[in-house]
PDB file of all heavy atoms in Angstrom:
ATOM      1  N   TYR A 239       8.063  21.649 -31.602  1.00  0.00           N
ATOM      2  CA  TYR A 239       6.746  21.378 -31.048  1.00  0.00           C
ATOM      3  C   TYR A 239       6.722  21.778 -29.563  1.00  0.00           C
ATOM      4  O   TYR A 239       7.740  21.666 -28.870  1.00  0.00           O
ATOM      5  CB  TYR A 239       6.399  19.897 -31.179  1.00  0.00           C
ATOM      6  CG  TYR A 239       6.208  19.449 -32.598  1.00  0.00           C
ATOM      7  CD1 TYR A 239       7.249  18.846 -33.301  1.00  0.00           C
ATOM      8  CD2 TYR A 239       4.983  19.631 -33.242  1.00  0.00           C
ATOM      9  CE1 TYR A 239       7.081  18.434 -34.616  1.00  0.00           C
ATOM     10  CE2 TYR A 239       4.801  19.221 -34.556  1.00  0.00           C
ATOM     11  CZ  TYR A 239       5.843  18.623 -35.241  1.00  0.00           C
ATOM     12  OH  TYR A 239       5.671  18.216 -36.533  1.00  0.00           O
ATOM     13  N   PRO A 240       5.556  22.182 -29.054  1.00  0.00           N
ATOM     14  CA  PRO A 240       5.473  22.564 -27.633  1.00  0.00           C
ATOM     15  C   PRO A 240       5.580  21.345 -26.717  1.00  0.00           C
ATOM     16  O   PRO A 240       5.307  20.212 -27.129  1.00  0.00           O
ATOM     17  CB  PRO A 240       4.086  23.216 -27.530  1.00  0.00           C
ATOM     18  CG  PRO A 240       3.290  22.591 -28.626  1.00  0.00           C
ATOM     19  CD  PRO A 240       4.278  22.383 -29.751  1.00  0.00           C
ATOM     20  N   LEU A 241       5.966  21.601 -25.484  1.00  0.00           N
ATOM     21  CA  LEU A 241       6.172  20.524 -24.513  1.00  0.00           C
ATOM     22  C   LEU A 241       4.907  19.709 -24.285  1.00  0.00           C
ATOM     23  O   LEU A 241       4.967  18.480 -24.144  1.00  0.00           O
ATOM     24  CB  LEU A 241       6.652  21.124 -23.184  1.00  0.00           C
ATOM     25  CG  LEU A 241       7.032  20.130 -22.084  1.00  0.00           C
ATOM     26  CD1 LEU A 241       8.231  19.314 -22.498  1.00  0.00           C
ATOM     27  CD2 LEU A 241       7.325  20.872 -20.781  1.00  0.00           C
ATOM     28  N   GLU A 242       3.752  20.384 -24.284  1.00  0.00           N
ATOM     29  CA  GLU A 242       2.498  19.662 -24.017  1.00  0.00           C
ATOM     30  C   GLU A 242       2.169  18.661 -25.124  1.00  0.00           C
ATOM     31  O   GLU A 242       1.365  17.746 -24.923  1.00  0.00           O
ATOM     32  CB  GLU A 242       1.332  20.635 -23.825  1.00  0.00           C
ATOM     33  CG  GLU A 242       1.086  21.607 -24.954  1.00  0.00           C
ATOM     34  CD  GLU A 242       1.795  22.940 -24.735  1.00  0.00           C
ATOM     35  OE1 GLU A 242       2.811  22.965 -24.029  1.00  0.00           O
ATOM     36  OE2 GLU A 242       1.298  23.954 -25.275  1.00  0.00           O
ATOM     37  N   TYR A 243       2.799  18.815 -26.293  1.00  0.00           N
ATOM     38  CA  TYR A 243       2.635  17.845 -27.373  1.00  0.00           C
ATOM     39  C   TYR A 243       3.711  16.759 -27.293  1.00  0.00           C
ATOM     40  O   TYR A 243       3.420  15.561 -27.354  1.00  0.00           O
ATOM     41  CB  TYR A 243       2.697  18.546 -28.729  1.00  0.00           C
ATOM     42  CG  TYR A 243       2.656  17.594 -29.907  1.00  0.00           C
ATOM     43  CD1 TYR A 243       1.450  17.064 -30.360  1.00  0.00           C
ATOM     44  CD2 TYR A 243       3.829  17.204 -30.560  1.00  0.00           C
ATOM     45  CE1 TYR A 243       1.402  16.179 -31.429  1.00  0.00           C
ATOM     46  CE2 TYR A 243       3.798  16.317 -31.628  1.00  0.00           C
ATOM     47  CZ  TYR A 243       2.588  15.808 -32.056  1.00  0.00           C
ATOM     48  OH  TYR A 243       2.549  14.920 -33.111  1.00  0.00           O
ATOM     49  N   VAL A 244       4.959  17.178 -27.145  1.00  0.00           N
ATOM     50  CA  VAL A 244       6.089  16.242 -27.127  1.00  0.00           C
ATOM     51  C   VAL A 244       5.973  15.237 -25.978  1.00  0.00           C
ATOM     52  O   VAL A 244       6.332  14.068 -26.124  1.00  0.00           O
ATOM     53  CB  VAL A 244       7.420  17.029 -27.007  1.00  0.00           C
ATOM     54  CG1 VAL A 244       8.593  16.066 -26.827  1.00  0.00           C
ATOM     55  CG2 VAL A 244       7.632  17.899 -28.227  1.00  0.00           C
ATOM     56  N   ASN A 245       5.467  15.693 -24.827  1.00  0.00           N
ATOM     57  CA  ASN A 245       5.398  14.826 -23.643  1.00  0.00           C
ATOM     58  C   ASN A 245       4.079  14.078 -23.497  1.00  0.00           C
ATOM     59  O   ASN A 245       3.860  13.425 -22.479  1.00  0.00           O
ATOM     60  CB  ASN A 245       5.643  15.656 -22.379  1.00  0.00           C
ATOM     61  CG  ASN A 245       7.124  15.857 -22.096  1.00  0.00           C
ATOM     62  OD1 ASN A 245       7.940  15.756 -22.991  1.00  0.00           O
ATOM     63  ND2 ASN A 245       7.454  16.147 -20.856  1.00  0.00           N
ATOM     64  N   ARG A 246       3.227  14.167 -24.492  1.00  0.00           N
ATOM     65  CA  ARG A 246       1.954  13.440 -24.394  1.00  0.00           C
ATOM     66  C   ARG A 246       2.191  11.950 -24.601  1.00  0.00           C
ATOM     67  O   ARG A 246       2.726  11.538 -25.638  1.00  0.00           O
ATOM     68  CB  ARG A 246       0.965  13.963 -25.435  1.00  0.00           C
ATOM     69  CG  ARG A 246       0.201  15.201 -25.001  1.00  0.00           C
ATOM     70  CD  ARG A 246      -0.640  15.762 -26.112  1.00  0.00           C
ATOM     71  NE  ARG A 246      -1.468  14.757 -26.754  1.00  0.00           N
ATOM     72  CZ  ARG A 246      -2.191  14.997 -27.849  1.00  0.00           C
ATOM     73  NH1 ARG A 246      -2.170  16.199 -28.406  1.00  0.00           N
ATOM     74  NH2 ARG A 246      -2.940  14.053 -28.381  1.00  0.00           N
ATOM     75  N   PRO A 247       1.818  11.110 -23.622  1.00  0.00           N
ATOM     76  CA  PRO A 247       2.048   9.663 -23.757  1.00  0.00           C
ATOM     77  C   PRO A 247       1.439   9.060 -25.015  1.00  0.00           C
ATOM     78  O   PRO A 247       2.046   8.158 -25.623  1.00  0.00           O
ATOM     79  CB  PRO A 247       1.383   9.092 -22.494  1.00  0.00           C
ATOM     80  CG  PRO A 247       1.496  10.199 -21.495  1.00  0.00           C
ATOM     81  CD  PRO A 247       1.274  11.450 -22.293  1.00  0.00           C
ATOM     82  N   ASP A 248       0.266   9.553 -25.450  1.00  0.00           N
ATOM     83  CA  ASP A 248      -0.361   8.972 -26.638  1.00  0.00           C
ATOM     84  C   ASP A 248       0.407   9.324 -27.912  1.00  0.00           C
ATOM     85  O   ASP A 248       0.398   8.560 -28.884  1.00  0.00           O
ATOM     86  CB  ASP A 248      -1.823   9.422 -26.742  1.00  0.00           C
ATOM     87  CG  ASP A 248      -1.980  10.922 -26.852  1.00  0.00           C
ATOM     88  OD1 ASP A 248      -1.263  11.641 -26.136  1.00  0.00           O
ATOM     89  OD2 ASP A 248      -2.828  11.398 -27.634  1.00  0.00           O
ATOM     90  N   VAL A 249       1.101  10.460 -27.897  1.00  0.00           N
ATOM     91  CA  VAL A 249       1.939  10.839 -29.044  1.00  0.00           C
ATOM     92  C   VAL A 249       3.213   9.986 -29.050  1.00  0.00           C
ATOM     93  O   VAL A 249       3.620   9.459 -30.093  1.00  0.00           O
ATOM     94  CB  VAL A 249       2.300  12.341 -28.985  1.00  0.00           C
ATOM     95  CG1 VAL A 249       3.339  12.679 -30.063  1.00  0.00           C
ATOM     96  CG2 VAL A 249       1.046  13.184 -29.161  1.00  0.00           C
ATOM     97  N   ILE A 250       3.818   9.836 -27.875  1.00  0.00           N
ATOM     98  CA  ILE A 250       5.035   9.023 -27.752  1.00  0.00           C
ATOM     99  C   ILE A 250       4.751   7.583 -28.167  1.00  0.00           C
ATOM    100  O   ILE A 250       5.571   6.934 -28.824  1.00  0.00           O
ATOM    101  CB  ILE A 250       5.557   9.060 -26.298  1.00  0.00           C
ATOM    102  CG1 ILE A 250       5.938  10.488 -25.908  1.00  0.00           C
ATOM    103  CG2 ILE A 250       6.756   8.129 -26.115  1.00  0.00           C
ATOM    104  CD1 ILE A 250       6.189  10.675 -24.414  1.00  0.00           C
ATOM    105  N   ALA A 251       3.574   7.083 -27.805  1.00  0.00           N
ATOM    106  CA  ALA A 251       3.208   5.688 -28.085  1.00  0.00           C
ATOM    107  C   ALA A 251       3.051   5.409 -29.578  1.00  0.00           C
ATOM    108  O   ALA A 251       3.051   4.250 -29.996  1.00  0.00           O
ATOM    109  CB  ALA A 251       1.916   5.336 -27.349  1.00  0.00           C
ATOM    110  N   GLN A 252       2.934   6.453 -30.402  1.00  0.00           N
ATOM    111  CA  GLN A 252       2.791   6.269 -31.848  1.00  0.00           C
ATOM    112  C   GLN A 252       4.123   5.936 -32.532  1.00  0.00           C
ATOM    113  O   GLN A 252       4.151   5.551 -33.704  1.00  0.00           O
ATOM    114  CB  GLN A 252       2.201   7.535 -32.467  1.00  0.00           C
ATOM    115  CG  GLN A 252       0.787   7.841 -32.014  1.00  0.00           C
ATOM    116  CD  GLN A 252       0.299   9.186 -32.526  1.00  0.00           C
ATOM    117  OE1 GLN A 252       0.731   9.669 -33.561  1.00  0.00           O
ATOM    118  NE2 GLN A 252      -0.621   9.804 -31.799  1.00  0.00           N
ATOM    119  N   ILE A 253       5.229   6.077 -31.802  1.00  0.00           N
ATOM    120  CA  ILE A 253       6.556   5.835 -32.384  1.00  0.00           C
ATOM    121  C   ILE A 253       6.937   4.369 -32.160  1.00  0.00           C
ATOM    122  O   ILE A 253       7.206   3.953 -31.026  1.00  0.00           O
ATOM    123  CB  ILE A 253       7.612   6.753 -31.750  1.00  0.00           C
ATOM    124  CG1 ILE A 253       7.175   8.214 -31.862  1.00  0.00           C
ATOM    125  CG2 ILE A 253       8.976   6.539 -32.392  1.00  0.00           C
ATOM    126  CD1 ILE A 253       8.059   9.178 -31.095  1.00  0.00           C
ATOM    127  N   ASP A 254       6.934   3.580 -33.202  1.00  0.00           N
ATOM    128  CA  ASP A 254       7.293   2.161 -33.080  1.00  0.00           C
ATOM    129  C   ASP A 254       8.726   2.009 -32.568  1.00  0.00           C
ATOM    130  O   ASP A 254       9.618   2.783 -32.936  1.00  0.00           O
ATOM    131  CB  ASP A 254       7.160   1.453 -34.424  1.00  0.00           C
ATOM    132  CG  ASP A 254       5.715   1.313 -34.875  1.00  0.00           C
ATOM    133  OD1 ASP A 254       4.816   1.595 -34.044  1.00  0.00           O
ATOM    134  OD2 ASP A 254       5.486   0.958 -36.044  1.00  0.00           O
ATOM    135  N   ASN A 255       8.934   0.988 -31.720  1.00  0.00           N
ATOM    136  CA  ASN A 255      10.253   0.675 -31.153  1.00  0.00           C
ATOM    137  C   ASN A 255      10.842   1.835 -30.344  1.00  0.00           C
ATOM    138  O   ASN A 255      12.070   1.969 -30.223  1.00  0.00           O
ATOM    139  CB  ASN A 255      11.237   0.269 -32.261  1.00  0.00           C
ATOM    140  CG  ASN A 255      10.748  -0.919 -33.059  1.00  0.00           C
ATOM    141  OD1 ASN A 255      10.334  -1.928 -32.485  1.00  0.00           O
ATOM    142  ND2 ASN A 255      10.772  -0.814 -34.372  1.00  0.00           N
ATOM    143  N   MET A 256       9.978   2.652 -29.813  1.00  0.00           N
ATOM    144  CA  MET A 256      10.426   3.793 -29.002  1.00  0.00           C
ATOM    145  C   MET A 256      11.117   3.295 -27.735  1.00  0.00           C
ATOM    146  O   MET A 256      10.610   2.412 -27.035  1.00  0.00           O
ATOM    147  CB  MET A 256       9.217   4.658 -28.623  1.00  0.00           C
ATOM    148  CG  MET A 256       9.528   5.771 -27.638  1.00  0.00           C
ATOM    149  SD  MET A 256      10.612   7.013 -28.359  1.00  0.00           S
ATOM    150  CE  MET A 256      10.822   8.112 -26.975  1.00  0.00           C
ATOM    151  N   VAL A 257      12.281   3.827 -27.449  1.00  0.00           N
ATOM    152  CA  VAL A 257      13.015   3.503 -26.226  1.00  0.00           C
ATOM    153  C   VAL A 257      13.237   4.792 -25.449  1.00  0.00           C
ATOM    154  O   VAL A 257      13.829   5.740 -25.976  1.00  0.00           O
ATOM    155  CB  VAL A 257      14.372   2.842 -26.524  1.00  0.00           C
ATOM    156  CG1 VAL A 257      15.157   2.632 -25.220  1.00  0.00           C
ATOM    157  CG2 VAL A 257      14.165   1.511 -27.233  1.00  0.00           C
ATOM    158  N   SER A 258      12.733   4.845 -24.225  1.00  0.00           N
ATOM    159  CA  SER A 258      12.954   6.025 -23.383  1.00  0.00           C
ATOM    160  C   SER A 258      13.950   5.664 -22.285  1.00  0.00           C
ATOM    161  O   SER A 258      13.923   4.553 -21.754  1.00  0.00           O
ATOM    162  CB  SER A 258      11.642   6.524 -22.763  1.00  0.00           C
ATOM    163  OG  SER A 258      11.186   5.644 -21.761  1.00  0.00           O
ATOM    164  N   ILE A 259      14.818   6.612 -21.952  1.00  0.00           N
ATOM    165  CA  ILE A 259      15.809   6.413 -20.895  1.00  0.00           C
ATOM    166  C   ILE A 259      15.727   7.585 -19.931  1.00  0.00           C
ATOM    167  O   ILE A 259      15.916   8.735 -20.329  1.00  0.00           O
ATOM    168  CB  ILE A 259      17.241   6.299 -21.463  1.00  0.00           C
ATOM    169  CG1 ILE A 259      17.332   5.098 -22.421  1.00  0.00           C
ATOM    170  CG2 ILE A 259      18.251   6.144 -20.338  1.00  0.00           C
ATOM    171  CD1 ILE A 259      18.670   4.981 -23.119  1.00  0.00           C
ATOM    172  N   ASN A 260      15.412   7.288 -18.691  1.00  0.00           N
ATOM    173  CA  ASN A 260      15.353   8.293 -17.636  1.00  0.00           C
ATOM    174  C   ASN A 260      16.274   7.885 -16.499  1.00  0.00           C
ATOM    175  O   ASN A 260      16.617   6.708 -16.355  1.00  0.00           O
ATOM    176  CB  ASN A 260      13.927   8.437 -17.104  1.00  0.00           C
ATOM    177  CG  ASN A 260      13.030   9.219 -18.043  1.00  0.00           C
ATOM    178  OD1 ASN A 260      13.041  10.439 -18.067  1.00  0.00           O
ATOM    179  ND2 ASN A 260      12.247   8.494 -18.832  1.00  0.00           N
ATOM    180  N   SER A 261      16.667   8.851 -15.699  1.00  0.00           N
ATOM    181  CA  SER A 261      17.493   8.558 -14.527  1.00  0.00           C
ATOM    182  C   SER A 261      16.668   8.786 -13.269  1.00  0.00           C
ATOM    183  O   SER A 261      15.548   9.293 -13.323  1.00  0.00           O
ATOM    184  CB  SER A 261      18.738   9.452 -14.502  1.00  0.00           C
ATOM    185  OG  SER A 261      18.354  10.817 -14.411  1.00  0.00           O
ATOM    186  N   CYS A 262      17.227   8.417 -12.129  1.00  0.00           N
ATOM    187  CA  CYS A 262      16.525   8.643 -10.867  1.00  0.00           C
ATOM    188  C   CYS A 262      17.525   8.818  -9.734  1.00  0.00           C
ATOM    189  O   CYS A 262      18.713   8.530  -9.885  1.00  0.00           O
ATOM    190  CB  CYS A 262      15.553   7.510 -10.557  1.00  0.00           C
ATOM    191  SG  CYS A 262      16.341   5.943 -10.133  1.00  0.00           S
ATOM    192  N   VAL A 263      17.021   9.288  -8.611  1.00  0.00           N
ATOM    193  CA  VAL A 263      17.851   9.454  -7.420  1.00  0.00           C
ATOM    194  C   VAL A 263      17.946   8.137  -6.660  1.00  0.00           C
ATOM    195  O   VAL A 263      19.018   7.736  -6.206  1.00  0.00           O
ATOM    196  CB  VAL A 263      17.286  10.550  -6.503  1.00  0.00           C
ATOM    197  CG1 VAL A 263      18.085  10.659  -5.204  1.00  0.00           C
ATOM    198  CG2 VAL A 263      17.271  11.894  -7.225  1.00  0.00           C
ATOM    199  N   ALA A 264      16.802   7.454  -6.531  1.00  0.00           N
ATOM    200  CA  ALA A 264      16.771   6.204  -5.765  1.00  0.00           C
ATOM    201  C   ALA A 264      15.520   5.412  -6.119  1.00  0.00           C
ATOM    202  O   ALA A 264      14.564   5.940  -6.690  1.00  0.00           O
ATOM    203  CB  ALA A 264      16.818   6.486  -4.265  1.00  0.00           C
ATOM    204  N   VAL A 265      15.549   4.145  -5.751  1.00  0.00           N
ATOM    205  CA  VAL A 265      14.392   3.263  -5.919  1.00  0.00           C
ATOM    206  C   VAL A 265      14.280   2.416  -4.659  1.00  0.00           C
ATOM    207  O   VAL A 265      15.296   2.044  -4.061  1.00  0.00           O
ATOM    208  CB  VAL A 265      14.554   2.363  -7.178  1.00  0.00           C
ATOM    209  CG1 VAL A 265      15.802   1.513  -7.077  1.00  0.00           C
ATOM    210  CG2 VAL A 265      13.323   1.484  -7.387  1.00  0.00           C
ATOM    211  N   ASP A 266      13.060   2.136  -4.212  1.00  0.00           N
ATOM    212  CA  ASP A 266      12.922   1.251  -3.053  1.00  0.00           C
ATOM    213  C   ASP A 266      12.646  -0.167  -3.525  1.00  0.00           C
ATOM    214  O   ASP A 266      12.441  -0.406  -4.722  1.00  0.00           O
ATOM    215  CB  ASP A 266      11.859   1.757  -2.073  1.00  0.00           C
ATOM    216  CG  ASP A 266      10.430   1.633  -2.591  1.00  0.00           C
ATOM    217  OD1 ASP A 266      10.218   1.072  -3.687  1.00  0.00           O
ATOM    218  OD2 ASP A 266       9.499   2.103  -1.903  1.00  0.00           O
ATOM    219  N   ILE A 267      12.678  -1.114  -2.605  1.00  0.00           N
ATOM    220  CA  ILE A 267      12.576  -2.525  -3.009  1.00  0.00           C
ATOM    221  C   ILE A 267      11.172  -2.897  -3.493  1.00  0.00           C
ATOM    222  O   ILE A 267      10.958  -4.023  -3.949  1.00  0.00           O
ATOM    223  CB  ILE A 267      13.000  -3.478  -1.871  1.00  0.00           C
ATOM    224  CG1 ILE A 267      12.158  -3.260  -0.610  1.00  0.00           C
ATOM    225  CG2 ILE A 267      14.478  -3.322  -1.568  1.00  0.00           C
ATOM    226  CD1 ILE A 267      12.436  -4.277   0.486  1.00  0.00           C
ATOM    227  N   TYR A 268      10.224  -1.963  -3.424  1.00  0.00           N
ATOM    228  CA  TYR A 268       8.895  -2.195  -3.994  1.00  0.00           C
ATOM    229  C   TYR A 268       8.850  -1.781  -5.466  1.00  0.00           C
ATOM    230  O   TYR A 268       7.902  -2.085  -6.172  1.00  0.00           O
ATOM    231  CB  TYR A 268       7.838  -1.418  -3.216  1.00  0.00           C
ATOM    232  CG  TYR A 268       7.748  -1.809  -1.761  1.00  0.00           C
ATOM    233  CD1 TYR A 268       8.286  -0.994  -0.768  1.00  0.00           C
ATOM    234  CD2 TYR A 268       7.149  -3.006  -1.368  1.00  0.00           C
ATOM    235  CE1 TYR A 268       8.223  -1.361   0.569  1.00  0.00           C
ATOM    236  CE2 TYR A 268       7.079  -3.376  -0.031  1.00  0.00           C
ATOM    237  CZ  TYR A 268       7.619  -2.544   0.924  1.00  0.00           C
ATOM    238  OH  TYR A 268       7.561  -2.903   2.250  1.00  0.00           O
TER     239      TYR A 268
END
Side-chain angles (χ1 to χ4, degrees):
Y239 293 96
L241 185 65
E242 56 266 26
Y243 175 81
V244 174
N245 277 22
R246 276 174 50 187
D248 60 318
V249 172
I250 298 168
Q252 295 173 28
I253 306 172
D254 291 350
N255 302 311
M256 173 67 182
V257 175
S258 72
I259 300 175
N260 284 279
S261 62
C262 70
V263 176
V265 59
D266 71 5
I267 58 174
Y268 299 104

